[in-house]
Structures are given as C-alpha cells and as structure tokens.
C-alpha cells in the first residue's frame, strides 16, 4: 500500500485468449481515471502463459517476474487455452508461480449484484437483490502447491497424487485479512472448510476460531463447504465476508458468478506479502469467445477500481470507476454474456466517456 504516489508503474501481463482484449479496455479506463489526478502512468507489457510459451519462453519468464516484482502494481488479463493443454509446460503454471513469488497469499474477490441488473442473474431477482459478498481466498497454499504432486506408473497402473497442506501461520495471516476487511463492512465472517473429513480443515477451523477470538467486534461462523455451496445460491444475502482455502475459494467464486449472471463481471486483487498487488478479472481466457471482440471487460475494469483503492490509496477514483460501470450497465450497454450486443471496446468507451464527463 502506497500513499498517493505521483506516478504509477504498472506491469501489464495481457496473457492469452480474451486476456489481451479485456486488458486493453481496462488500461483505457485506468488512463482516463488518472487523467488530471496528478498521478502519471507508466505501463510496460510482458509475456506470460501461452503467449510466453509461443515465444519459446517459460510460462513465467524471469524478466516478466522481475518487472512485476519491481512495479507498483501488476495487472494480468488471463492465461491458458486448449492450444497448450497437452504441452509439457502449462500456461497456468506461470500464473501460479507469479502469485506465489509475489507473496500474494490473500485473494480478494468481491461479488456484487448491481442494482438494476438482477434480471441477468441465474437466480430469481428477489433472491439476489442487494447481494454483496466479499470472498477472501487463500492463494498460495493448499492442494495447488503441496508436495508431493505428480504422476507415476503406466496404463493400466497409472497413479497421481496432490497434497493439501496448511500451516498455522498460513491460516492466521489470511484470516487476519478477512477480519480486517470485515471491520469495514458488516463485521460478519464465514469461514468455509471441510472439517468433517479433512485434517487440514480441522486445523483451519481451530485456528480460525482462535483468530476470531482476537476480533470480538466481529462475528465468526464456520460452514462446511458442501453446505455453503448450496446456501450461497439459496440465500446469498446471508453472507458478507467469506474466507476459505485455495481450492474451495477457486470453485466457490466461479459459482458465485451465478449471482450477477456472468463471470465477466467479477474482479480480483491478490496481495498481502512483500510484493506489489496483482489485479485480474476472475475469469479465464474464454477460448469460446476469444478474438471476437465481445468479451465483457467489466471484470477487468472493476479490477482497476480495486487497484485505485489498494495500490494508490485513491478510494475516490475507485468509486468513480464503479459509478461509471454502474451507469454503463444501467444504460444497457451490455456484452452478449449479459444479453446485450455491445462489443468490448464499446463498453470500455462508455465507461471512459462517463469518467470524462465527471471531470
Ligand atoms: P473461463 O473463465 O475462461 O470461461 C468460462 C465461461 O465464461 C466461458 O463460457 C466464457 O465464454 C465465459 N466468460 C469468461 N470470461 C468472460 C468475459 N470476460 N466475458 C464474457 N464471457 C466470459 O473458463 P474456462 O473456459 O474453464 O477456462 C479457459 C482457460 O482459461 C483454461 O485454460 C483455464 O485454465 C484458464 N483460466 C485462467 C484464469 C486466469 O488466468 N486467471 C482463470 C480461469 C481459467
Ligand atoms: C483463477 C483460475 C486459476 C486458479 C487457474 C488458471 C490456475 O482458475 O484465478 O480462479 O485456479 O487459481
Ligand atoms: Mn478459477
């Protein structure tokens, strides 16, 4: 966290599929938000994922990581796609390494149903009206990084192993982030685990309760992940801050996209360690729509509003972007995932136009 620097050095990693499309839209909005703010913008672009593999590089090339580590903030589009699924190196490995090496252990994913957009939800409007859930997903531990991991044997005797491991320290630090965020909201935290089966979850629950006792101003509830997955769809307005481990958080935040009705609307910010914060839309490279100019850029644009708040300490500019997004959506300037016919750049232009009109 920096306090209003005069210049933002942003490392941009557009990646694959719709990644570059939504990234360009988000950068236009960032430039517009910073115009007349007194904060200069210095953007450098670097390969990651499949785009790096295509150049004969690693999924996270060393110069890309160096640029990210030295920047004030990092913006990533998306990585991956069927083209690289059978290769020896996976694009996704680049993103996982980036998160881990930046020390980005806390992944903050807000899921809001914007007023007037309830009709696009997969659920009934009266169920989702006012839903506003803040997921805090542990991002650098659990099954994603546990060792041993790998395969052995040959058909018909093939075997594979993943390992879920959590230390007390890993649980404490992400719970602390959740409670800190809850203090500025409705002070209700739900910790999601599978403590009826998994040893890591039993440790998670025990440690979460201990951290909770240090935050008597907040209410802590524990919920099993299977039951939470259902409750989220039945009564999403019951929840405020939800904290959970890496794999559950991955799955539950895609599920939560059913609330607004599209993954294309969800932003995310990851940080907590020494490195700069990493901002991304929650969605992937969307190979089914890539190259057609119709990806919804609003998740990426809302990630810019998180950047303005978290890396620049400018909640006023973050709120201006959110208002411009709400206005754009309210005007029914919508991409096909929300039932509209607007292109990625038309949506971005509307958001930029609304920001410019405020100045
Ligand atoms: P996906 O998120 O790319 O797409 C899921 C569905 O949502 C698709 O129907 C897609 O068209 C739609 N969608 C996604 N983003 C959208 C947008 N901005 N506007 C409109 N519709 C949108 O998930 P997937 O298809 O399972 O994965 C594709 C690839 O992306 C895989 O290689 C996966 O590993 C990767 N992935 C990367 C990230 C990331 O880089 N952060 C996240 C998730 C998946
Ligand atoms: C996400 C993605 C990634 C994850 C993949 C691409 C490694 O699904 O950001 O949610 O599983 O964390
Ligand atoms: Mn995911």
């Amino acid at each position: 966290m920096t306090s209003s620097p005069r210049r933002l050095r942003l490392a941009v990693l557009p990646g694959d599929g719709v990644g570059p499309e939504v990234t360009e839209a988000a950068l236009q909005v960032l430039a517009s938000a910073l115009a007349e703010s007194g904060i200069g913008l210095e953007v450098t672009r670097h390969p990651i994922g499949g785009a790096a593999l295509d150049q004969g590089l690693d999924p996270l090339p060393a110069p890309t990581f160096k640029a990210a580590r030295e920047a004030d903030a990092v913006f990533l589009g998306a990585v991956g796609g069927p083209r690289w699924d059978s290769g020896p190196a996976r694009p996704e490995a680049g993103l996982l390494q980036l998160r881990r090496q930046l020390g980005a252990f806390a992944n903050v994913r807000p899921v809001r149903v914007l007023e007037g957009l309830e009709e696009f939800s997969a659920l009934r409007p009266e169920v989702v009206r006012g839903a506003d859930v803040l997921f805090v997903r542990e991002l650098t531990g659990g099954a994603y990084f546990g060792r041993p991991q790998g395969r052995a044997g040959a058909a018909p005797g093939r075997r594979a192993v993943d390992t879920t491991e959590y230390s007390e320290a890993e649980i404490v630090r992400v719970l602390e982030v959740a409670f800190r965020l809850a203090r500025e909201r409705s002070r209700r935290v739900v910790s999601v685990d599978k403590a009826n089966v998994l040893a890591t979850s039993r440790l998670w629950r025990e440690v979460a309760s201990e951290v909770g006792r240090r935050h008597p101003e907040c209410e802590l509830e524990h919920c099993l992940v299977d039951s939470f997955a259902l409750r989220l769809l039945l009564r999403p307005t019951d929840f405020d801050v939800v904290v959970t481990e890496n794999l559950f958080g991955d799955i539950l935040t895609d599920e939560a996209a059913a609330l607004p009705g599209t993954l294309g609307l969800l932003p995310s910010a990851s940080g907590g360690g020494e490195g700069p914060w990493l901002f991304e839309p929650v969605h992937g490279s969307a190979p089914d729509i890539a190259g057609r100019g119709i990806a919804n850029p609003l998740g990426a644009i809302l990630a810019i509003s998180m950047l303005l708040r978290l890396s620049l300490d400018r909640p006023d500019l973050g709120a201006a972007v959110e208002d411009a997004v709400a206005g754009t959506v309210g005007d029914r300037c919508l991409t096909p995932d929300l039932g509209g016919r607007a292109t990625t750049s038309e949506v971005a232009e509307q958001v930029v136009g609304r920001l410019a009109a405020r100045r």
Side-chain angles (χ1 to χ4, degrees), residues 177-211:
V177 170
F179 279 106
R180 202 170 68 230
L181 291 167
R183 278 208 299 272
E184 281 141 42
R185 297 169 56 101
S186 77
R187 302 186 169 205
R188 285 181 292 122
V189 176
V190 174
S191 172
V192 175
D193 62 41
K194 185 70 183 168
N196 52 347
V197 175
L198 301 177
T200 41
S201 276
R202 283 193 284 276
L203 178 66
W204 182 283
R205 189 174 282 217
E206 202 173 304
V207 173
S209 297
E210 289 161 13
V211 177

Side-chain angles (χ1 to χ4, degrees), residues 145-165:
F145 295 97
R147 295 291 179 269
Q149 178 183 68
R151 282 171 65 129
R158 287 169 291 181
R159 285 176 289 116
V161 63
D162 292 291
T163 303
T164 302
E165 182 173 7

Side-chain angles (χ1 to χ4, degrees), residues 21 83 136 294 308 323:
E21 302 171 32
R83 226 151 51 77
V136 181
I294 56 163
L308 293 164
D323 288 350

Side-chain angles (χ1 to χ4, degrees), residues 16 48-50 53 57-60 79-97:
D16 309 317
I48 192 170
L53 291 172
L57 303 169
D58 291 333
L60 178 64
V79 294
R83 226 151 51 77
W84 301 282
D85 275 351
S86 51
R90 293 196 59 99
E92 291 85 348
L95 174 57
L96 297 180
Q97 277 172 40

Side-chain angles (χ1 to χ4, degrees), residues 18 22 76-81 85 90 92 95 99 254 262-264 280-289 294-297 337:
V18 299
V22 299
L76 181 133
V79 294
D85 275 351
R90 293 196 59 99
E92 291 85 348
L95 174 57
R99 291 169 174 172
D254 264 32
T262 173
L263 255 184
E280 341 163 27
V282 170
H283 65 74
S285 58
D288 52 338
I289 57 165
I294 56 163
N296 189 339
D337 54 316

Side-chain angles (χ1 to χ4, degrees), residues 3-9 34 37-42 72 312:
S3 59
S4 299
R6 305 175 68 89
R7 169 176 84 117
L8 173 73
R9 286 167 311 154
L34 291 181
S37 69
I39 303 171
L41 176 60
E42 202 179 285
D72 299 316
L312 288 175

Side-chain angles (χ1 to χ4, degrees), residues 51-320:
L53 291 172
D54 284 351
Q55 294 177 37
L57 303 169
D58 291 333
L60 178 64
T64 296
F65 176 68
K66 184 170 186 288
R69 184 68 186 78
E70 289 171 358
D72 299 316
V74 185
F75 188 93
L76 181 133
V79 294
R83 226 151 51 77
W84 301 282
D85 275 351
S86 51
R90 293 196 59 99
E92 291 85 348
L95 174 57
L96 297 180
Q97 277 172 40
L98 177 68
R99 291 169 174 172
R100 175 91 155 189
Q101 291 176 28
L102 287 177
F105 64 81
N107 177 213
V108 183
R109 297 186 160 185
V111 179
R112 274 186 214 116
V113 176
L114 298 177
E115 206 183 321
L117 271 196
E118 294 87 355
E119 70 196 84
F120 298 113
S121 177
L123 307 174
R124 289 195 307 276
E126 66 271 24
V127 173
V128 293
R129 186 163 293 117
D132 181 357
V133 187
L134 188 69
F135 284 87
V136 181
R137 168 189 175 194
E138 200 291 324
L139 200 61
T140 53
Y144 278 64
F145 295 97
R147 295 291 179 269
Q149 178 183 68
R151 282 171 65 129
R158 287 169 291 181
R159 285 176 289 116
V161 63
D162 292 291
T163 303
T164 302
E165 182 173 7
Y166 270 109
S167 69
E168 179 172 349
E170 286 177 302
I171 302 168
V172 168
R173 65 187 185 179
V174 74
L175 261 293
E176 287 290 356
V177 170
F179 279 106
R180 202 170 68 230
L181 291 167
R183 278 208 299 272
E184 281 141 42
R185 297 169 56 101
S186 77
R187 302 186 169 205
R188 285 181 292 122
V189 176
V190 174
S191 172
V192 175
D193 62 41
K194 185 70 183 168
N196 52 347
V197 175
L198 301 177
T200 41
S201 276
R202 283 193 284 276
L203 178 66
W204 182 283
R205 189 174 282 217
E206 202 173 304
V207 173
S209 297
E210 289 161 13
V211 177
R213 282 196 281 281
R214 297 207 288 270
H215 296 274
E217 73 285 2
C218 293
E219 181 191 309
L220 172 66
E221 183 192 346
H222 301 283
C223 190
L224 295 172
V225 62
D226 47 355
S227 150
F228 178 85
L230 176 62
R231 286 176 65 195
L232 181 67
L233 298 187
L234 293 180
R235 287 176 60 103
T237 53
D238 277 358
F239 301 107
D240 184 38
V241 174
V242 176
V243 59
T244 191
E245 63 138 274
N246 202 345
L247 182 59
F248 299 159
D250 178 48
I251 297 166
L252 293 173
T253 51
D254 264 32
E255 183 199 354
L259 271 52
T262 173
L263 255 184
L265 270 173
L266 301 192
S268 125
S270 313
E274 298 279 287
W277 280 73
L278 166 66
F279 300 89
E280 341 163 27
V282 170
H283 65 74
S285 58
D288 52 338
I289 57 165
R292 294 167 54 194
I294 56 163
N296 189 339
L298 293 178
I301 289 170
L302 289 169
I304 292 295
S305 94
M306 297 185 84
L307 182 159
L308 293 164
R309 289 173 187 276
L310 286 165
S311 293
L312 288 175
D313 198 17
R314 288 296 300 264
D316 55 326
L317 297 179

